[in-house]
Amino acid sequence: GVEIQKAIDDHRAQRISQLEFLNIVRDAREQVVRPKHDDVPQHLRRDVTAVAFYHAIEKQLAAVSPQGANVKADAAEAAETMLEIIARRRVVNWAQRDDIQNEMRNDLDDFLFDVMRDGKGHPLTPDLMDEIIDRVLSIARARLPD
């Protein structure tokens, strides 16, 4: 796509670093490749955005949560809830509006804090929560334009 071509041109002109280049290409690829469905809970599979959210959340939870924690089920619940939170706030041109995205961010943050951390005991730090929210919003901007 356009983004990848621009990244290649920028990289050739050495306007961006190797790492930045790889990140852009990886992100673009993640948005194109349908995420693997085999390890995704059945009820999420019909919604590719939910699947993408699930992968982003599950990866972070798995990294910090104790062995045997209910990571897959909690990640699936989080994916669905975060999708609903974003849907509730979505308006025309939301992807260009910082005010709307900030409202989404606050709601998503409250959810991760209250439900995933305090409620379900996943040891999420504020930095990790920000990372999950950034990932989820970037997936949403790519997949849920107006």
Side-chain angles (χ1 to χ4, degrees):
V2 179
E3 242 175 277
I4 292 182
Q5 190 53 55
K6 183 183 177 328
I8 292 167
D9 296 342
D10 284 349
H11 187 248
R12 282 211 184 106
Q14 296 185 321
R15 283 189 289 262
I16 58 174
S17 72
Q18 188 74 30
L19 182 65
E20 215 179 328
F21 173 70
L22 292 173
N23 284 337
I24 291 169
V25 172
R26 192 204 61 218
D27 284 353
R29 191 176 157 277
E30 269 178 26
Q31 318 225 330
V32 175
V33 174
R34 281 184 107 93
K36 300 187 305 295
H37 282 56
D38 44 0
D39 58 346
V40 176
Q42 192 73 44
H43 64 284
L44 287 185
R45 293 181 188 180
R46 63 181 183 279
D47 183 333
V48 288
T49 307
V51 170
F53 279 15
Y54 170 81
H55 283 295
I57 296 161
E58 196 264 347
K59 194 172 81 184
Q60 300 288 0
L61 287 186
V64 297
S65 295
Q67 214 53 48
N70 210 348
V71 169
K72 281 194 184 329
D74 290 349
E77 183 188 322
E80 286 185 295
T81 305
M82 292 174 93
L83 205 49
E84 284 163 18
I85 288 170
I86 289 172
R88 274 204 302 272
R89 295 279 186 190
R90 250 170 85 196
V91 295
V92 174
N93 287 335
W94 74 271
Q96 280 77 52
R97 288 186 50 185
D98 290 342
D99 57 330
I100 300 290
Q101 290 184 62
N102 286 335
E103 289 173 6
M104 289 177 175
R105 197 173 277 283
N106 291 337
D107 292 350
L108 293 168
D109 198 57
D110 289 346
F111 165 73
L112 287 175
F113 217 97
D114 298 344
V115 177
M116 298 313 280
R117 199 197 72 157
D118 295 353
K120 295 182 182 291
H122 294 285
L124 293 168
T125 61
D127 282 354
L128 268 177
M129 293 189 222
D130 284 344
E131 215 169 303
I132 291 172
I133 291 169
D134 287 344
R135 215 52 219 111
V136 159
L137 284 176
S138 111
I139 293 164
R141 281 192 299 269
R143 292 182 176 274
L144 307 169
D146 317 327

